[in-house]
Amino acid sequence: MEFFDVLRTRRSIRAYQPTPVPAEAIEKIKEAIRLAPTGCNFQPFRFIFITNEEVRKQVAAYYPGKWLGEAPMLVAVIGNPEAAWHRRDGGESIVEIDVAIAMEHFQLAAADCGLGSCWIGAFNRKGVNQVLNIQAPWSTVILAPLGYPAQDAAPRTNKSDEELFSFID
Ligand SMILES: Cc1cc2nc3c(=O)[nH]c(=O)nc-3n(C[C@H](O)[C@H](O)[C@H](O)COP(=O)(O)O)c2cc1C
């Protein structure tokens, strides 16, 4: 797909067919994640691809939307704030920025493969960390279902140019 077609095609999908995700698609998605930039190239994250039904359902139970457990694959992205680059002025870890960029590479690669996904931030981190046995300083930053869409995405509105952009000439 052309780059801008991928950008236009990627939408948040909240209903999935049970068809498994093909292994070739996972390889493309892994490559897209590897190509993501990270602060100082520290790559302070891991992507955990879960197909095991019991584990998927246990993780999905920590998110209010029942549809999450129906996707044939659930991806948990864990980050280590101590292993990420830290800002020089305030000392904060930029782990969430690194994860966000890699996650969007994943989302765009999934769209390019004809697969649906959705960023999931509204989950209970403590619960998901327990299910996946994630030990501090690591923690789950974001989740994403992955699979073939079972319905079209909801209509979306975008802010106006005036609200989104300014130029200093
Ligand atoms: C950081 C982040 C967290 C999100 N968390 C959730 C979530 O918990 N549940 C959900 O249904 N969608 C979630 N979304 C998806 C947004 O609602 C969606 O991207 C937005 O409405 C725009 O729609 P689109 O992705 O189809 O363009 C999240 C998106 C981002 C970027």
Side-chain angles (χ1 to χ4, degrees):
M1 234 191 273
E2 287 294 318
F3 179 64
F4 263 83
D5 289 335
V6 176
L7 294 183
R8 287 188 198 101
T9 304
R10 185 222 55 82
R11 294 297 315 281
S12 292
I13 299 299
R14 299 184 177 90
Y16 292 88
Q17 300 174 31
T19 318
V21 177
E24 312 84 70
I26 298 300
E27 288 309 308
K28 268 186 105 169
I29 288 168
K30 280 165 52 188
E31 182 64 8
I33 292 166
R34 269 197 214 99
L35 292 169
T38 55
C40 243
N41 198 27
F42 285 161
Q43 305 159 64
F45 48 67
R46 279 182 78 81
F47 281 65
I48 305 172
F49 296 86
I50 309 163
T51 48
N52 179 285
E53 189 177 356
E54 200 183 320
V55 179
R56 273 196 293 112
K57 303 262 179 209
Q58 281 174 8
V59 171
Y62 285 102
Y63 176 72
K66 295 236 177 305
W67 56 270
L68 187 62
E70 285 156 22
M73 181 175 273
L74 189 52
V75 182
V77 191
I78 62 170
N80 178 349
E82 293 179 9
W85 183 75
H86 288 67
R87 289 187 190 274
R88 298 234 164 93
D89 47 5
E92 305 98 333
S93 168
I94 49 83
V95 66
E96 297 219 346
I97 296 178
D98 288 339
V99 166
I101 296 168
M103 174 67 167
E104 189 60 7
H105 276 219
F106 159 31
Q107 296 291 302
L108 294 173
D112 193 42
C113 293
L115 290 160
S117 188
C118 184
W119 289 68
I120 299 293
F123 64 93
N124 178 311
R125 294 180 95 179
K126 199 172 161 198
V128 171
N129 286 341
Q130 264 171 10
V131 170
L132 298 176
N133 193 24
I134 308 302
Q135 306 291 331
W138 289 85
S139 186
T140 311
V141 179
I142 202 90
L143 299 174
L146 187 64
Y148 290 102
Q151 63 180 217
D152 292 336
R156 176 183 63 186
T157 53
N158 281 97
K159 290 185 175 178
S160 65
D161 273 20
E162 290 69 31
E163 290 170 292
L164 286 175
F165 310 116
S166 50
F167 296 85
I168 300 174
D169 295 320

